[in-house]
Amino acid sequence: MPITGKILEVAQAHPERLAIVGAEARITYGELAEDGRRVRAVVEHLRDAHPPVSVRLRSRELPGRAESPSGLQLVDETPAAEPSERSGVDHVDARAQPVVAVSSTDAFHTARIIAGLAGFGCVSATIDPRWPLEHQVRVVLGTGISVLVSDSDALRDALARAGWAGAQVSLDEFRRLERKLPPAGAPSVRAGDEPFLMLFSSGTTSNPKAFLKTRAQYRANFAVSSAYLEPLPGVATLAPGPLSYSLTLYALVECLASGGSCHVADTFDALAASRRIADEGVTRVVAVPAVIESLALVARRSPERFAGVELLVAGGANLSARIRSAVAGALPGARLVSYYGAAEIGFIGDSRGGDGTAITLYDGIEAQVRGPLGDVLPDGEIGELWIRADACSDGYLPATTDEQLRDTEGWATVHDQARLRGRQLELLGRAGDIVVTGGHKVSLPEVERAFELLPGADAVCAVSAPDASLGSVIALVLEGADAPDKATVLAYARERLAPQFVPRRVYRVGELPRTVGGKVRRAATAELVAGGEAVRL
């Protein structure tokens, strides 16, 4: 991981430079190296007070490949050999490399704990406290977590009932121990094959799946992001949102890996963020599309606060026309980049102009589109997108899923559907987002994009509904009490869509179901329609 080397370098050359900044706390590079020693001291103390179960996370064997470090199984046995005795990391020894998880809404302290542990033999994880309790328990029990920083009494009780032998402390207790205990030894740059982070998929279509990133994989990921997304030395970046989001976590990592300053926020408030942007000299913002849109609305009213903003980086492909229009009108001096990536794979490509649907693949990223039988499809045909990249993880932890990420040749998929034309990629959603109606293959996200500027609709979701004659038809579900009537919707659609893409049915709901990250859940929306809970217009 390049974080530790850069932290130590900047601590020597520019000790006063801000490293991590919260709404009410901040830490410089000069302080961060010493802070990491205190963080590590607490982890060692908790590990000694609560000896971990002797576990080994053993990899699955994939045909034609050496064992991989992150297709892991949890097995009770004696501690495995040290990583240096092996030709690759295929385990996490809970005694040598504790798995430390933080489940907190405090973005500043979560960020500094992760940064502090980067220079030691630890695997760090962030668990979203808004996940269902049973999933949090399953993750802690099944992935080798031995130290948990969490204020949740419900989680503590559930883990105790399940017989978990690890240590859970509140954030306040963790900080008290930092003040009390003597610091650990100095941090150091670690070997590339050592596991560094345990991450989780977005959970858009299922419960979040766990996987590991080695330090070498993260170095490869930073090489891509630093070449295209400009986390430059000394640049102040605002990255609001929970550190359990891979987007926010990646922003923290790339800032520290480049010697920049990362400004984090527990919750997002557009007005408060605009004041921080002005007061702290923020020139770069990395955020989800909804946050970018909110900032653009504030910038329209208070443009002077955004005078220094040069770059807006939005996570997620196919940035809506509404958001792109809002940014262009309110922040004409700022560039807008919408990148596509997956936490498991890393940064893949981005869109910088036009209608936002054409994604240019980054150098070094290989892509292909495959058909249902695994055959590689010609350019322009719709199929499942497969990526090969140095930053890609090796597989999911089976405690959280039995799904495989990579094939025997190192190609990986998160089941996005796409068209590929040379190095230009067009995303069309997940497998369930492509439906056949009347013999035509239709992309539901393409249908939704046509309604991005529909007056009166706060948000829309296209779903497939069963039909006696056509097999299935497209149904459009509108969010908002002031949504337009069906005639208006259909007239709007016919002006913008091919006939087979025009919805046959229109529904309205007060609020569309979403993930904790704010993404609309298509399957849950379809269930509302099927169950009669959506009002048909």
Side-chain angles (χ1 to χ4, degrees):
M1 193 65 202
I3 281 183
T4 303
K6 182 58 67 171
I7 288 173
L8 297 176
E9 175 189 321
V10 179
Q12 286 292 320
H14 307 284
E16 75 293 341
R17 181 182 296 173
L18 291 172
I20 304 169
V21 183
E24 298 179 355
R26 57 190 60 209
I27 189 167
T28 67
Y29 275 90
E31 297 166 335
L32 192 57
E34 183 65 22
D35 189 71
R37 297 176 62 194
R38 290 190 287 270
V39 170
R40 174 64 185 191
V42 176
V43 170
E44 290 178 350
H45 169 79
L46 294 172
R47 184 185 58 180
D48 292 342
H50 299 264
V53 175
S54 180
V55 300
R56 180 178 172 192
L57 297 175
R58 177 184 291 166
S59 62
R60 294 191 188 101
E61 292 186 8
L62 299 178
R65 290 195 67 208
E67 289 189 347
S68 62
S70 25
L72 301 172
Q73 297 172 333
L74 191 64
V75 183
D76 288 329
E77 58 174 40
T78 56
E82 290 296 316
S84 60
E85 299 174 17
R86 294 179 163 267
S87 57
V89 178
D90 65 355
H91 68 284
V92 175
D93 182 345
R95 286 187 171 87
Q97 285 183 267
V99 182
V100 181
V102 183
S103 180
S104 173
T105 56
D106 191 314
F108 173 78
H109 288 292
T110 301
R112 72 170 186 82
I113 290 172
I114 292 171
L117 291 177
F120 300 93
C122 291
V123 178
S124 298
T126 54
I127 294 176
D128 196 322
R130 295 172 299 178
W131 285 348
L133 179 62
E134 62 272 17
H135 184 66
Q136 295 184 54
V137 172
R138 186 163 57 248
V139 164
V140 172
L141 293 177
T143 60
I145 291 170
S146 55
V147 175
L148 173 64
V149 183
S150 170
D151 295 330
S152 172
D153 291 334
L155 180 56
R156 184 192 304 274
D157 293 343
L159 289 172
R161 289 193 299 271
W164 181 59
Q168 178 178 336
V169 293
S170 68
L171 181 57
D172 284 344
E173 176 65 8
F174 191 94
R175 295 177 65 192
R176 187 189 69 79
L177 289 170
E178 286 183 285
R179 295 188 294 269
K180 173 184 175 182
L181 298 170
S188 62
V189 178
R190 312 292 299 186
D193 62 355
E194 187 178 85
F196 167 63
L197 282 182
M198 182 185 294
L199 299 170
F200 303 91
S201 63
S202 66
T204 304
T205 57
S206 62
N207 282 330
K209 301 180 285 288
F211 54 95
L212 290 180
K213 286 283 189 184
T214 67
R215 295 170 188 271
Q217 288 164 350
Y218 241 109
R219 288 168 185 154
N221 205 39
F222 174 66
V224 175
S225 67
S226 62
Y228 292 96
L229 302 179
E230 304 177 32
L232 303 176
V235 165
T237 295
L238 175 65
L243 269 294
S244 54
Y245 293 178
S246 61
L247 177 145
T248 313
L249 184 58
Y250 280 23
L252 170 70
V253 167
E254 65 184 9
C255 286
L256 297 180
S258 66
S261 303
C262 189
H263 295 250
V264 297
D266 302 342
T267 57
F268 178 72
D269 178 274
L271 287 174
S274 71
R275 288 191 289 268
R276 289 184 66 183
I277 287 171
D279 294 344
E280 302 283 3
V282 169
T283 61
R284 179 174 177 265
V285 177
V286 179
V288 297
V291 167
I292 297 290
E293 183 177 23
S294 296
L295 289 175
L297 294 176
V298 174
R300 189 177 295 278
R301 297 194 297 269
S302 304
E304 69 283 354
R305 294 181 179 178
F306 296 82
V309 176
E310 300 173 357
L311 179 64
L312 301 169
V313 179
N318 296 335
L319 198 63
S320 75
R322 183 184 68 250
I323 295 175
R324 285 183 277 110
S325 176
V327 170
L331 295 159
R335 292 169 292 130
L336 176 62
V337 175
S338 174
Y339 78 79
Y340 166 57
E344 299 95 318
I345 297 171
F347 296 103
I348 295 171
D350 67 42
S351 175
R352 300 177 181 238
D355 64 1
T357 60
I359 298 164
T360 301
L361 295 172
Y362 293 139
D363 289 345
I365 304 298
E366 299 177 77
Q368 57 182 220
V369 172
R370 299 181 184 177
L373 300 178
D375 51 317
V376 178
L377 300 178
D379 274 10
E381 293 196 18
I382 297 175
E384 187 172 72
L385 178 65
W386 288 74
I387 298 291
R388 190 157 60 182
D390 291 339
C392 185
S393 296
D394 294 294
Y396 297 113
L397 275 65
T400 57
T401 184
D402 58 2
E403 185 177 326
Q404 291 225 345
L405 174 65
R406 297 174 67 156
D407 68 10
T408 58
E409 301 300 320
W411 291 90
T413 184
V414 291
H415 308 295
D416 284 333
Q417 302 292 297
R419 294 189 189 98
L420 189 62
R421 293 184 175 90
R423 301 287 293 173
Q424 296 293 306
L425 176 68
E426 183 182 0
L427 288 178
L428 302 172
R430 295 292 175 95
D433 297 337
I434 306 295
V435 301
V436 176
T437 175
H440 297 283
K441 189 179 289 188
V442 174
S443 163
L444 297 177
E446 283 189 295
V447 174
E448 292 164 352
R449 284 201 293 271
F451 295 94
E452 289 172 350
L453 300 179
L454 176 65
D458 297 335
V460 302
C461 181
V463 300
S464 174
D467 181 79
S469 59
L470 295 176
S472 63
V473 295
I474 307 303
L476 188 72
V477 185
L478 310 175
E479 180 181 78
D482 299 324
D485 59 25
K486 180 178 180 179
T488 301
V489 171
L490 294 183
Y492 189 91
R494 292 181 183 118
E495 294 178 358
R496 293 163 175 81
L497 290 168
Q500 66 269 25
F501 281 69
V502 174
R504 296 293 186 99
R505 303 173 192 170
V506 182
Y507 297 84
R508 184 180 66 238
V509 295
E511 187 174 350
L512 289 167
R514 287 175 166 83
T515 68
V516 294
K519 295 181 180 179
V520 174
R521 298 173 58 209
R522 193 182 310 282
T525 303
E527 289 175 5
L528 293 180
V529 172
E533 299 177 63
V535 178
R536 186 167 180 178
L537 302 181

